[in-house]
Amino acid sequence: MDRRFDAAIEEIKKGKKFLTVSHVSPEGDAVGSLLGVTLALRSLGKDVTAYLEDPVPDLFKFLPGADTVVHNLEGAGPFDATFAVDCGQKERLGKGFVNLKEPGKIINIDHHATNDCFGDVNVIVPDASAAGELVYDLCKAAAIPIDRDIAVNLYVAIHTDTGSFRYSSATADSFFKAGDLVRLGAEPWDISRRVYENYPARKYKLLGMVLSTLDIIDAGNGGPQVAILSVTLDMFKRSGAEKDLADGFVNYARGIEGVEVGVLFREAAPLEYKVSMRSKGQVDVAVISEGFGGGGHRNAAGFMVKGTLDEVKTRVITVIKEKMYAATKV
Ligand SMILES: [Mn+2]
């Protein structure tokens, strides 16, 4: 019997009006786990407001319930409780939520090891591949039937956060739950086609520019290398691509033979960069990210940093090289 959700289930039983939230710049797990818990609560007849500070990315607009997400909480509430999913820090839920007066009890359900337990109830499971897995577990523990619409959302959450079941985070549990979600109505090809084979051409124009910035650097120990890509505001302008279309580009850097860590520097504003890192597993990029005030997982982490591209690159690459030198010494 799964007792991890007892306190959360107590709040579900007591409450009528709920808020569900996930992090800014939402990806598949944020949107999928948010909508999964939203639809699960609605299926019990609860009044649920689903909130994301940022828009639902186009690729995920097909998800059941996506059209009900709101992006403004002014005048909202009071809520009996708030379910925050897939988010390690309260601030990452966005200003609208941070400024909200009466969120009720905050139930923090997440799988980031760097989660700071900002909730009144915290269910943090770093072994879960996706927050979507935990929403699945919550539904099971609360005996909430998972209908097709919930299944599609949770399948997308798990599928995207495991890199299509390629990452080490994909456990037997992840496969079991995904299999069950398929049984409950999630259609793998229909979902893959919509999420992975449905990109606007401008994404590929941008990718061409980004790949041309590729730089490969030695850590100095004859071992694996670091691959660096960058994307500037000018490239976004020239390609016509929105910023979220660069999501995943960092994987091209990691995907190179002999490369251990891939890094993407994305200009977020003049003199401000979002740094995304992907590791093949020998180097823990979450530790590097935390040193810069960010978060993440062993194989995938990111943070924001200020300065010119050259300054920022030098600072970040210096640290990565040190960590890599230590981790991969032959
Ligand atoms: Mn996640």
Side-chain angles (χ1 to χ4, degrees), residues 1-66:
M1 179 102 186
D2 188 353
R3 321 288 332 207
R4 296 173 298 170
F5 296 95
D6 283 5
I9 292 167
E10 200 51 44
E11 297 305 317
I12 294 174
K13 282 188 186 148
K14 278 196 309 205
K16 285 192 183 68
K17 195 170 156 62
F18 293 93
L19 176 65
T20 57
V21 292
S22 189
H23 61 77
V24 294
S25 304
E27 15 65 327
D29 189 27
V31 182
S33 60
L34 173 85
L35 293 174
V37 73
T38 299
L39 298 181
L41 292 170
R42 283 183 188 154
S43 75
L44 300 173
K46 309 289 184 183
D47 174 357
V48 188
T49 300
Y51 171 79
L52 289 173
E53 175 112 332
D54 294 328
V56 174
D58 285 346
L59 286 180
F60 300 120
K61 284 195 173 136
F62 78 96
L63 288 173

Side-chain angles (χ1 to χ4, degrees), residues 276-304:
S276 304
M277 296 177 293
R278 296 290 182 274
S279 152
K280 278 186 180 144
Q282 286 179 278
V283 177
D284 185 347
V285 288
V287 172
I288 298 171
S289 180
E290 279 170 54
F292 285 95
H297 308 285
R298 182 178 183 87
N299 293 53
F303 56 90
M304 300 292 300

Side-chain angles (χ1 to χ4, degrees), residues 212-254:
S212 72
T213 68
L214 177 66
D215 204 1
I216 308 245
I217 293 176
D218 284 305
N221 60 359
Q225 297 165 308
V226 186
I228 300 150
L229 293 171
S230 41
V231 54
T232 61
L233 290 172
D234 181 58
M235 291 177 195
F236 284 113
K237 204 171 151 195
R238 282 190 286 136
S239 61
E242 306 83 342
K243 66 170 185 166
D244 62 307
L245 289 180
D247 290 353
F249 283 4
V250 63
N251 294 320
Y252 288 95
R254 179 175 62 183

Side-chain angles (χ1 to χ4, degrees), residues 27 29-30 86 110-112 129-131 161 297:
E27 15 65 327
D29 189 27
D86 195 39
D110 187 31
H111 67 128
H112 295 92
S129 70
D161 248 23
H297 308 285

